[in-house]
Amino acid sequence: MKTIVYTHPYSGSFNHAILTRLTDYFESEGQDYQVIDLYQDGFDPRYSAEELRLFSRGETPYQLVKDYQRMIERSNELIVITPIWWYNIPAELKGFFDKVMLRGFAYVESPEWRGLLTYINKATVITTSTVPKDYLQQQAGDPIQGNLINRTIADLGIDPSKTNWIHFGEVNLTTDKVRKQFLADLPNLYRDGKQS
């Protein structure tokens, strides 16, 4: 089962077109998937005092977090679709990792740190931004490959070598023709695990 974590508030966005293209492809191939739509679900990325009180025990009072954990437990693949705003992931997605990836579910610390999501054998991160991938990597602190993939996702037990980053840059400057071509190519980019 594939779990898609989708992060965008606007159904007319290019991110939503990416989600639709990918889910249409999975349906045409008879592949099982489920979608965690953080904005549609009304997910609150902020920690409450009650949540923080339970954090050290790996517990949560937030039913949506428990629902998301159950969805992930049924998965062997994780797909993240997100814009990049101010050179980083949106608050909703950061909060998803903060609040869902709890001790005992996503990792243990004793005797040393060990990620528990080793049953996820493939991950894909699909991003859009006003800047190209090389700018993000060389001028903006490498927030996706360096931080999200090589640190956060890796610390969950998902091998970075099995995680692919697909990026659509200069989304504000490009043409409809280029956008349509990207969407047409997306199943191959996803399946082949590389982007030219």
Side-chain angles (χ1 to χ4, degrees):
M1 173 73 76
K2 307 173 195 300
T3 294
I4 302 170
V5 181
Y6 171 68
T7 312
H8 204 287
Y10 177 45
S11 62
S13 70
F14 191 61
N15 280 257
H16 197 270
I18 290 170
L19 173 67
T20 300
R21 178 68 177 109
L22 210 54
T23 55
D24 285 350
Y25 168 68
F26 293 153
E27 288 174 11
S28 72
E29 295 292 311
Q31 299 181 27
D32 293 332
Y33 69 90
Q34 54 192 352
V35 178
I36 292 173
D37 187 334
L38 297 173
Y39 279 96
Q40 184 68 34
D41 292 344
F43 176 75
D44 186 352
R46 299 169 302 172
Y47 261 116
S48 67
E50 183 182 9
E51 286 174 296
L52 281 173
R53 182 177 58 81
L54 297 171
F55 176 81
S56 64
R57 302 204 304 257
E59 299 174 6
T60 179
Y62 197 7
Q63 185 58 47
L64 197 53
V65 167
K66 296 173 185 177
D67 294 342
Y68 289 166
Q69 288 178 338
R70 281 195 291 272
M71 292 174 74
I72 292 167
E73 285 174 334
R74 298 194 302 267
S75 308
N76 60 10
E77 183 175 342
L78 184 66
I79 300 165
V80 175
I81 300 173
T82 183
I84 297 174
W85 294 335
W86 285 107
Y87 312 111
N88 217 324
I89 58 177
E92 279 73 12
L93 185 56
K94 177 63 167 63
F96 173 84
F97 285 104
D98 289 343
K99 295 172 67 165
V100 177
M101 302 305 176
L102 294 173
R103 177 188 297 175
F105 168 73
Y107 67 92
V108 293
E109 294 179 285
S110 179
E112 59 185 23
W113 186 285
R114 180 168 57 89
L116 299 178
L117 303 191
T118 53
Y119 50 86
I120 304 291
N121 54 42
K122 179 181 179 181
T124 305
V125 178
I126 304 172
T127 57
T128 61
S129 176
T130 58
V131 297
K133 182 186 276 191
D134 61 352
Y135 185 91
L136 289 168
Q137 292 179 303
Q138 297 167 21
Q139 304 294 326
D142 203 7
I144 302 302
Q145 186 68 52
N147 190 354
L148 183 62
I149 293 173
N150 292 349
R151 276 281 48 91
T152 303
I153 292 176
D155 282 357
L156 301 176
I158 303 170
D159 186 344
S161 70
K162 297 179 181 177
T163 301
N164 183 36
W165 175 22
I166 300 169
H167 182 68
F168 187 84
E170 299 182 323
V171 67
N172 58 324
L173 301 175
T174 193
T175 63
D176 285 342
K177 180 179 179 181
V178 172
R179 292 185 186 93
K180 288 177 182 177
Q181 188 61 57
F182 177 85
L183 293 174
D185 292 342
L186 185 57
N188 290 334
L189 295 172
Y190 160 80
R191 187 180 58 246
D192 296 343
K194 60 183 177 180
Q195 183 177 16
S196 58

